[in-house]
Amino acid sequence: MSTTVDTSFAPVTFSEGAAKELYKLRDQQEIGEDYGLRVGVEGGGCAGMNYVLGFDQKKDGDQEFLIDGIKVFMNKAHQMYLMGMMIDWQDGLNSRGFTFINPNATSTCGCGTSFSA
């Protein structure tokens, strides 16, 4: 596995609120240096695909990015579904959690964690 970090091209971005929440989670959970944030997709959900977001170790086939000071792992095959996506953090009365603003999604479900492309 390569340890090269690609900082010139990031397929996703974080809102300021999402970055702050990710820093907070990383510190609270005492995430080790060999872990990064996995951003990806998996089959399932009411619209066909679910977003994957969580701290994980690097796997074969992953590319590594440094986005707003956060190490991010993404499988190369997932980039076509996630290119240009912004991850946001909502902390309001009506919703709380990470939201995904994906320009590649042709439809999304009501909960916002599932999409089709």
Side-chain angles (χ1 to χ4, degrees):
M1 284 188 285
S2 172
T3 59
T4 303
V5 177
D6 186 349
T7 58
S8 61
F9 169 74
V12 299
T13 59
F14 302 126
S15 69
E16 184 178 333
K20 285 181 183 178
E21 187 65 20
L22 289 166
Y23 294 137
K24 186 170 96 176
L25 289 171
R26 185 178 61 186
D27 293 343
Q28 285 177 343
Q29 297 177 11
E30 299 178 4
I31 303 295
E33 290 295 318
D34 56 335
Y35 283 76
L37 182 70
R38 177 162 304 284
V39 178
V41 296
E42 64 184 6
C46 54
M49 300 179 95
N50 283 326
Y51 294 107
V52 174
L53 186 69
F55 291 100
D56 195 5
Q57 291 183 315
K58 191 171 184 178
K59 298 177 182 172
D60 287 333
D62 283 347
Q63 281 191 296
E64 184 176 331
F65 302 93
L66 190 60
I67 305 170
D68 293 334
I70 300 167
K71 188 183 336 180
V72 175
F73 301 142
M74 182 183 292
N75 185 293
K76 292 177 187 180
H78 296 187
Q79 288 185 26
M80 64 187 254
Y81 299 109
L82 303 176
M83 187 66 63
M85 181 176 75
M86 184 178 77
I87 300 172
D88 192 14
W89 171 257
Q90 299 292 317
D91 193 14
L93 294 174
N94 293 328
S95 64
R96 178 181 170 89
F98 291 101
T99 59
F100 305 91
I101 303 161
N102 188 345
N104 305 302
T106 56
S107 66
T108 60
C109 67
C111 66
T113 62
S114 180
F115 74 102
S116 62

